Each structure stands twice: as C-alpha cells, then as structure tokens.
Amino acid sequence: MIDGVLGGPVDQDYLVQARQMQAMSFAVHIPLVCFGIAFPAMVLFLEGLWLRTGDPLYRALAKRWSKAMLILFAVGVVTGTILSFEMGLLWPEFMATFGAVFGLAFGIEGFSFFVEAIFIAIYVYGWDRLPARVHVAAGVPIVLAGISGSLMVISVNGWMNHPVGFSIRGGEVVDVKPLEALFNANLWHELVHMYLAGFIVAGFLVAGVYAYGWLRGRRDRHHRVGLVVALSVAALAAPAQLLVGDWAARTVAERQPVKLAAFEGLERTTKGAPFSLPGGIEIPDLLSVLAFHDPGATVTGLDSVPADDRPPTGIVKVSFRTMVFIGTALTVLGAWFLWVWWRHARLPSSPWFHRALVAAGPLALVALIAGWITTEVGRQPWIVYQVMRTESAVTGASGVPVGFAALGLVYAGLVAVAFVMLRRLGREPLEVGS
Amino acid sequence: MLPDLVAGLALLALTGYVVLGGADFGAGFWDLTAGGAERGAPVRAMIKRAMSPVWEANHVWLIFLLVVLWTGFPVAFGSITSTLAIPLFAAALGIVLRGGAFALKGQAATIAEARALGATFALASVIAPFAFGAAVGAIAAGRVPVGNARGDEWSSWTGSLSIVVGLLAVATGAHLAAVFLGADSRRAGRAELVHAFRARALGSGVVAGALAIAGLLVVRSDMPALYDGLTSGAGLACVLASGAAGLVTLWLEWRERFELARYAAATAVATIVAGWAVAQQPYLLPPDLTVHEAAAPDATLAALLVATAVGMALIVPALTWLFRLALSGRLAYEDEPRP
Ligand code: HDD
Ligand code: HEM
Ligand code: HEM
C-alpha cells in the first residue's frame, strides 16, 4: 500500500461528493463515447452502400447521421475535457504518484483524438465538396481512431484494476515500465466489452428512434433503412456481448476475487456458490459456473479480506444483475429480428416488437452505466487495486460540493439542449438529392 | 536531457493551444462585442464559418498539454491542479459551455435561441482564457508549492501578475482572431468585413502590446528572478523578438497584407510563451521544483517521446490537409438560423 508523493492523505470532508462528481462526469461522457465508437462505422457503411448501388437515399441518410455524429462528437469533446481536468482536480495524489506509470496510454490517446477531430471535420464538412472516394477515405481514420482511443483509455482503467509495471520500495514508486502497465491483463476483456457496448448502445438507440417513427405511422423506405442498419449492428453485437461478459467475469474471478464476491454479495468462501435472482430465488452452483465454468468450484468470499477492504456490496450486486438481465433481454430481442429477417427478409411486423425497440435503447444505456458501476464501485475502496486507497488520492482543495453542483447544472443544461437540437435535426425532411 | 525534451514538448503543446485555441477564444470575444443581432450578424457568420471545421482540432492541443504534464511531470501536475483548482475548474466549465453552445448554435431555430446560445458562447470565451492566464501567472509568480492543495486557494491566483497575464491571454487571443479572420474575410471576398477585422486587429494589437509591457513592469517590481531571466540571454531574445513581431504585425495590417500578418501575429504570441519558459528555467514550479526534479523516470519519458514522434508523423500531414481545406474555403456547409 502507498500513500502518495504529495504528502499522503489530507483532510477532505467531501470524498463522497468527489466520487459522485467523477461518476456523474463519466455517466455523461460514456454514452456519447458509444456514438464515437459506433456511428462512424455505421455512417461509412451507408455511404459504401450508396457508392455500390448509386441509390441516393443511402447518401442522404449517411449525411444526416453524420450531422448528428458531429453534434455528439462536440459534446463528447467537452465532456472528455472535463474528465481530463478532473483527474487532477479531484485526484491529484493519484496522478502525482502514478502518472508516470499509466500516462503513456493517455499520451497515445491524445493522438487518437487529434486524428478523430481532424478527420471528422473533413468528413462532415466535406460532403458536397470532396470527390466521393476521397470522402469515404477520410472517414476510415475516424473509425480507427475510435478503436485506438478506446484502447488507450480502457488500458488506464484496466491498469487501475490490475496495476502492473512498477514496484513500490520505501513508499516510492520505482522500476517503472510503462509498456507493461499499458498492456495489463484487464485491458483486453474490458476493451472488447466496451467496444461492443458502444455498438449495442448506439445501435439500439438509433433503431429506437426509427421504431418510434414506425409506431407513429412513418413507415416509408427511409425509416425502414435507418432501422434495419442500426438494428443489425446492435443485434449482432448483443449475443457476442454475452460471451465477452463471461470472459470478463472469469477474469475478475481470477484477479479480483473480492470484486467477484461483491457481484453476489457472497459473505463466506463457498464451494459450489449459488447465484440469486430477484424475488429470493437462488440457483445453486451458478456463481461457480459463471466464474470458473465448474459447478463445484470454490468461490472466494468477502470474509477473505478485512471489513475495511471490502467494496459496498449492495450497489455492486444490483448493478451486475441489471447489466446481465438487460444484456440477456437485448440478445433475445436481437434474435427475434435476426430470425424474421433471415426467414422472411423483412422486419417483424408486430407493434410489440417496435415498442420493445423503443425501450431497448434506454435499457442498453442503463446496462452500460450499470457495467461501469460494477467495475468501478466493485474496485473500491481502492483507486489502484490493493495499492492506493481512494481516500489517499483525493484532493485537499475545499469546494468540492460547489464544483459538483455547478457541473451538475451545466450538464443538465447541456444534455437538455443537445437533446432538443437532435430532435430538431430528426424532424427536418430528408433531402434525397442526386 | 530527456526531461528537457519532454518539457519542450509541453511547451510546444502550450504554444499550439495559446495560438490556435487562443484565436478560437478570441473569435468568441469578437462575437460578444459584435453588437446587436442585426448589426453583428455578418461578423458572427464569418466567425462561425471560419471556426466550425477547426475548433475541435485546435482544442486537442490542450488535452495534449495536460497529458504530457501528468505523464512527464506528475508531481507538478498534482500540485498545480490542487492549488489552482478554482481557476482551472472555471476554465474547464467555460470550455464546456463554449463548446456546447457553439456546436448547438447551428441548430437554433429562432433568433432568441441563437442569441442565448451565442451569449453563452461569447461570455465563456472570455472567462476561460482569463482563468488559464491567471493560472499561468500564479505559477510564474511562484505561488504554487509542491503538495496536495498546499498553496492558497484564492491568493495564489489573484495576485497582480495573474491578473495581467489573464488579461493578456484574452487580448492576445482577440488579436490573433482578428488577424486570422481578416485574412479569411479577404479570401471570402467580403470587403466590408475585411475592414471591420482590420480595425479590430490594430486596436487589439495595441492593447495586447500594452498589457505585455505592463506585465514586464509587474515582474520587475515583484519577481526579480523572473525579471532577470526576461532581460538577459535567450529570455531577452524572446522578448525582443515578440516586440518586433508585434510591430511587424501592425505594419502588415496597416498595409493590408493579411496573409503574412497571420504568421507575424502567431510569432509575436508564441515568443511570449517561449520567453516565459526560458526565463524561469530551470524551474517548473518556481521557486523550488526544477524540471529535472519534477520529471518522471527515464523509461516513461523515452516512451512518451517515441509515441509522440510516431503520433506527430501521423498528425502533421493530417493537420496540414485540414488547414489547407479550411483556409481555401472548401469545408463549409451553410446552415444559418432559420427564421
Ligand atoms: C451495453 C452494455 C452491456 C451489456 C449488455 C453487458 N455489459 Fe458487462 N459491462 C459493460 C457493459 C455491458 C461495461 C461497458 O459498462 C463494462 C464496464 C467495464 C467494462 O469493461 O465493461 C462492463 C463490465 C462487466 C464486468 C466487470 C469487468 C471488470 O470489472 O473487469 C463483468 C463481469 C461483466 N460486464 C459481465 C457481463 C455479462 C455476463 C453480461 C451479459 C449478460 C454483460 N456484462 C452484458
Ligand atoms: C478509463 C476509464 C474509466 C471509466 C470508464 C470509469 C467509469 C466510472 C464510472 C461509470 C463510475 C461510476 C461509479 C458510481 O456510480 O459510483 C466511476 C467511478 C469512479 N471512478 Fe472511474 N472510470 C474510469 C477511470 C477512472 C480513473 C482514471 C479514475 C481516477 C482518477 C477513476 C476514479 C473513479 C472514482 C474514484 C470513482 C468513484 C467510485 C465510487 O463512487 O464508489 N476512474 N468510474
Ligand atoms: C479516464 C477517463 C476518460 C478521459 C480522461 C477521457 C478523455 C477524453 C477527452 C479529453 C476527449 C475529447 C477528445 C477531443 O478533444 O477530441 C474524449 C473523447 C472521447 N473519449 Fe473519452 N475519456 C475517458 C473515458 C473514455 C472511455 C471509457 C472511452 C471509451 C471507451 C472514451 C472514448 C472516447 C472517444 C471515442 C472520444 C471521442 C469523442 C466522441 O466521439 O464523443 N473515453 N475523451
């Protein structure tokens, strides 16, 4: 364990508010990031369809989506900036002590943002002015930067959960190996899981908008194409997400047994541990199966560490369950679509299908946030797992609640205005030109 | 050696942000002062047209600066962000309000909406650079000690140097913006705007120069060590270069040579930043923490430099292409507020 190089823990009456401020900032940024991950690929797919078929509808739709993408990107940029500042404003001791270990990832991330910002401008403002092939080519780096940017930031989060690439001697961080820190063992499952989550969230939200239109009677080809493209993406990602989630759970079981125990609220180390469902139903051995693919496996309980070192179990347990249930439900919904599409080459015609789609977008968002709460709160009380406690990392500055309130107000306004503007964009008639 | 290279990288990022991001803030200043909805409309439209494609890329310089600081000089980063939490948070909030308002302005349906978003954009464009300048002034004045919020939360950044540097940041941004927008208006063939921006560039250039001199006087009376640095050796060279570039800019504006004025104005501002850095060498956080003491281990610095070299090889051609397209007016779609 380590206290930090700025002089160790300080008096901070508002640690809880600092954590909530961090959580709120993520809760605004991460949904936007999903669009940064998925939208460029979806838009390029449509533009590619246009190039192959010459059908102007595809181009018009791609153009419209790219305008929404630009708005969301801008809001993603400013909320990401807040996060960058908050690293220092809220957790200076964490940054001062470990910045040299994990910072490289953010350095590379900076270049991803450059690439993204440059090419998104060229792409969106270049629609009518660049030759078609150049225009498509300008879109490709946006997709790649979405991957590399996520890779790098997730690497930092993975490192906080599996801190490697340094040693501690006499309260000092020494033997820093930045590349080892970058490629920590949590990186890969978190990256793939988050990347798929991006497609699930963006896909279901966009599909939901068109499904809503369908229910209100807007059933022309424009709405059908928008729905099918967005939904296909989400429906393919959802089942894959179950497999990756399983991979994530097994990695957690191996490396962060106490976090895994918090998923179930498992007090005592148990052989053949059960998994409980809401309503008090308990499925024997399921937790052992989830964690180790073996009904008889022994699962470490919370009692393996002192009470002080345990995460808050209630919220972690609820969040984990929420994510898993929503993930399963979304997979079923996606399968319904894929089945009908495969058998009959059309959309399911039931209004219930479309109503479910309207609900699916917000539910996917809930799953996304629930997943992050599982990961982040499940790591507590550590900011760097078993190395630095969150209370050691926090700032000594006063006024955290004031900042929290101010940011809360600004974000409420930002989200509201962005929502109104996107709705307005959606109401504009589609200009299907030549 | 490695620490100096990484410090140079931080300086490059800071300069990029002060020049390109600063001009974006400055554009907001002219938006704020453009006058009523009717009268100010042409100026505002030109600002929007020039800024839309590039502001996000210009903004990344700030992110890059933060990242280089926390990776390369983590102790300094933690000390700065905790002691200077108030101005930095104000700047960050300003950036959110500004970026959000700017991005969403395009979809405004009524004059009233456009006006509310425009006012937010413009006001935040003044607050953010002032707050950043005040933070830099606090560092230069030696008021940020090493430690977690060890310096005074208020008096650290409300000293005379902070105020002057804050105002200077606003003024240089406004000057750069006027110079850049004048050149953009000329390219767009908008003669009436060319003259509007030329007058603004001349006025703001004089104000920025006066503030820079005021800053020197404050430094002379309060911070002798920094003053020595600014009046000898490389520091003096930067100060003189900045003054000369400033005068050349004014002359070029007067003679209506707008394209060349862009580079002269950028040089004048960049050399102020460089002069400050050179003058407070070897310190990162004067009076105690040197660049070498603050630096991360060599392994980290080397990795950061390699990553930057690779990154720059990708970014420089891309940025060049973006600015080419933007400057030649090939990136724009018209979406003025609908009545
Ligand atoms: C649309 C979103 C979504 C959906 C449907 C699921 N997840 Fe998830 N989950 C996330 C979105 C997410 C995430 C992006 O929010 C997290 C947070 C950290 C991470 O890597 O992904 C996450 C974390 C996360 C973790 C913790 C990883 C860690 O702490 O290292 C586990 C064990 C799971 N998930 C397991 C599952 C399972 C078994 C699912 C299937 C039923 C599932 N997730 C569906
Ligand atoms: C890199 C990607 C990261 C993501 C996506 C992420 C996501 C989240 C989310 C969603 C929460 C909300 C938990 C809640 O509601 O209580 C959270 C909490 C938190 N995060 Fe992270 N995080 C990341 C990295 C970081 C980093 C780098 C830091 C430290 C500087 C950090 C520190 C915290 C802290 C202290 C909390 C509060 C925990 C609590 O309330 O119990 N996280 N994070
Ligand atoms: C510690 C946590 C995080 C920090 C400090 C952070 C920082 C930032 C910053 C500064 C930007 C703006 C980039 C620009 O100026 O162009 C940004 C945008 C972005 N971030 Fe984050 N971020 C964090 C978490 C995440 C997570 C968890 C992801 C997802 C995997 C992510 C992916 C992105 C993407 C794709 C963008 C591009 C903007 C967009 O498309 O909306 N970030 N982030």
Side-chain angles (χ1 to χ4, degrees):
Chain A
M1 220 173 97
I2 189 167
D3 277 340
V5 295
L6 292 182
V10 290
D11 283 335
Q12 176 53 269
D13 298 336
Y14 299 107
L15 173 63
V16 173
Q17 281 80 354
R19 287 165 58 180
Q20 287 170 347
M21 186 169 167
Q22 180 75 51
M24 176 186 76
S25 312
F26 275 121
V28 176
H29 183 66
I30 296 178
L32 294 161
V33 159
C34 290
F35 285 90
I37 289 173
F39 236 160
M42 285 157 60
V43 171
L44 271 190
F45 178 73
L46 277 173
E47 194 180 6
L49 277 182
W50 169 61
L51 280 181
R52 277 193 42 183
T53 63
D55 183 338
L57 177 76
Y58 293 128
R59 182 178 190 276
L61 201 55
K63 197 168 164 186
R64 156 170 308 211
W65 283 9
S66 75
K67 285 192 190 177
M69 171 170 91
L70 189 68
I71 293 181
L72 291 168
F73 178 71
V75 184
V77 167
V78 292
T79 54
T81 306
I82 284 284
L83 283 173
S84 308
F85 273 95
E86 272 176 350
M87 304 286 276
L89 292 174
L90 295 175
W91 319 106
E93 188 72 89
F94 165 67
M95 299 306 288
T97 311
F98 293 107
V101 184
F102 65 72
L104 177 65
F106 278 116
I108 302 174
E109 164 124 7
F111 286 103
S112 303
F113 289 154
F114 259 127
V115 169
E116 208 162 355
I118 292 168
F119 285 98
I120 216 166
I122 294 178
Y123 186 82
V124 177
Y125 289 102
W127 266 110
D128 303 316
R129 318 206 173 212
L130 296 176
R133 304 220 164 249
V134 177
H135 189 252
V136 174
V140 174
I142 313 176
V143 179
L144 298 180
I147 300 178
S148 64
S150 311
L151 179 96
M152 288 305 147
V153 81
I154 293 288
S155 152
V156 176
N157 190 264
W159 177 85
M160 292 165 69
N161 283 294
H162 178 231
V164 289
F166 65 97
S167 334
I168 291 180
R169 228 172 290 130
E172 302 242 346
V173 174
V174 292
D175 295 336
V176 175
K177 301 193 187 74
L179 278 179
E180 207 173 291
L182 191 70
F183 295 107
N184 57 76
N186 268 40
L187 164 62
W188 301 111
H189 77 259
E190 284 196 33
L191 172 68
V192 180
H193 204 49
M194 177 65 209
Y195 198 71
L196 287 175
F199 280 95
I200 293 175
V201 169
F204 276 119
L205 276 175
V206 173
V209 170
Y210 289 105
Y212 182 74
W214 189 92
L215 288 169
R216 309 289 293 292
R218 290 191 290 273
R219 302 183 183 178
D220 51 16
R221 186 155 164 269
H222 154 207
H223 283 79
R224 207 169 56 240
V225 170
L227 201 158
V228 169
V229 170
L231 181 56
S232 307
V233 163
L236 291 172
Q241 188 74 318
L242 297 193
L243 300 179
V244 180
D246 171 62
W247 171 23
R250 276 180 296 126
T251 314
V252 172
E254 187 186 323
R255 299 193 185 272
Q256 296 179 298
V258 182
K259 190 195 261 187
L260 189 91
F263 289 179
E264 171 59 24
L266 188 70
E267 285 294 335
R268 250 175 281 284
T269 302
T270 311
K271 192 167 161 13
F275 188 81
S276 56
L277 299 177
I281 310 159
E282 198 166 86
I283 304 181
D285 297 343
L286 184 59
L287 188 64
S288 290
V289 174
L290 283 178
F292 298 102
H293 288 190
D294 169 7
T298 304
V299 178
T300 309
L302 293 162
D303 63 357
S304 61
V305 292
D308 250 10
D309 289 357
R310 298 177 198 162
T313 46
I315 173 169
V316 177
K317 184 172 170 180
V318 171
S319 306
F320 181 67
R321 247 140 270 254
T322 307
M323 167 174 61
V324 173
F325 285 131
I326 294 177
T328 312
L330 295 178
T331 305
V332 172
L333 183 62
W336 182 358
F337 160 71
L338 290 175
W339 173 255
V340 175
W341 188 259
W342 179 57
R343 296 306 304 240
H344 308 292
R346 63 164 173 81
L347 281 167
S349 50
S350 157
W352 281 107
F353 173 76
H354 291 83
R355 284 184 200 127
L357 267 188
V358 173
L363 283 175
L365 262 184
V366 172
L368 175 80
I369 301 298
W372 278 108
I373 293 176
T374 306
T375 299
E376 295 293 288
V377 180
R379 188 188 61 233
Q380 302 299 324
W382 306 99
I383 191 164
V384 182
Y385 191 59
Q386 292 179 338
V387 176
M388 180 188 255
R389 299 176 82 91
T390 309
E391 72 235 30
S392 303
V394 75
T395 181
S398 63
V400 171
V402 179
F404 185 21
L407 188 66
L409 283 177
V410 169
Y411 270 7
L414 186 69
V415 171
V417 178
F419 184 76
V420 170
M421 297 303 173
L422 285 171
R423 248 182 58 156
R424 192 168 289 156
L425 183 65
R427 291 218 184 111
E428 282 173 23
L430 194 70
E431 320 150 17
V432 185
S434 52
Chain B
M1 180 63 191
L2 285 178
D4 298 311
L5 285 176
V6 175
L9 207 57
L11 191 62
L12 175 76
L14 178 63
T15 310
Y17 189 57
V18 169
V19 172
L20 297 166
D24 282 351
F25 286 126
F29 178 82
W30 298 123
D31 190 306
L32 182 65
T33 53
E38 196 104 330
R39 202 161 58 85
V43 165
R44 294 204 172 94
M46 189 68 215
I47 289 172
K48 176 151 186 290
R49 189 183 146 154
M51 255 181 77
S52 293
V54 291
W55 75 267
E56 276 132 339
N58 290 348
H59 177 79
V60 183
W61 290 103
L62 169 66
I63 306 302
F64 189 55
L65 171 65
L66 293 176
V67 167
V68 170
L69 281 181
W70 80 47
T71 310
F73 307 101
V75 171
F77 180 79
S79 305
I80 293 170
T81 50
S82 54
T83 289
L84 298 177
I86 295 169
L88 292 178
F89 186 64
L93 269 192
I95 288 172
V96 174
L97 287 171
R98 189 184 124 77
F102 186 74
L104 298 171
K105 237 161 72 163
Q107 297 295 325
T110 62
I111 297 288
E113 275 180 24
R115 210 179 274 169
L117 287 172
T120 307
F121 164 69
L123 209 63
S125 298
V126 176
I127 293 172
F130 179 82
F132 277 131
V136 167
I139 295 171
R143 295 183 183 206
V144 181
V146 173
N148 186 348
R150 198 69 54 78
D152 190 281
E153 282 179 301
W154 291 96
S155 69
S156 57
W157 59 279
T158 48
S160 46
L161 189 61
S162 283
I163 304 298
V164 174
V165 178
L167 294 174
L168 184 63
V170 176
T172 51
H175 178 57
L176 287 166
V179 172
F180 293 179
L181 286 165
D184 292 339
S185 307
R186 161 67 53 92
R187 281 189 196 233
R190 305 284 301 272
E192 75 297 354
L193 287 178
V194 171
H195 287 281
F197 284 119
R198 174 170 172 266
R200 286 169 168 80
L202 290 169
S204 59
V206 172
V207 173
L211 281 168
I213 293 170
L216 263 180
L217 295 179
V218 171
V219 170
R220 188 172 75 161
S221 69
D222 296 0
M223 292 125 231
L226 187 62
Y227 188 72
D228 278 351
L230 284 171
T231 50
S232 63
L236 180 64
C238 288
V239 170
L240 294 177
S242 177
L247 291 174
V248 170
T249 311
L250 294 181
W251 181 75
L252 288 169
E253 282 287 321
W254 187 253
R255 302 293 309 272
E256 307 198 358
R257 308 273 299 271
F258 298 113
E259 282 306 319
L260 282 177
R262 274 185 208 272
Y263 301 99
T267 309
V269 175
T271 40
I272 298 184
V273 179
W276 162 54
V278 170
Q280 74 163 39
Q281 254 199 358
Y283 294 102
L284 186 57
L285 293 183
D288 291 321
L289 188 70
T290 65
V291 169
H292 284 251
E293 288 162 355
D298 280 354
T300 302
L301 300 179
L304 183 61
L305 285 167
V306 171
T308 305
V310 176
M312 285 290 175
L314 293 172
I315 292 309
V316 171
L319 264 182
T320 313
W321 192 34
L322 174 66
F323 279 112
R324 276 248 177 92
L325 290 173
L327 287 179
S328 63
R330 272 195 286 161
L331 291 184
Y333 54 71
E334 305 301 335
D335 49 3
E336 299 305 332
R338 282 165 298 279

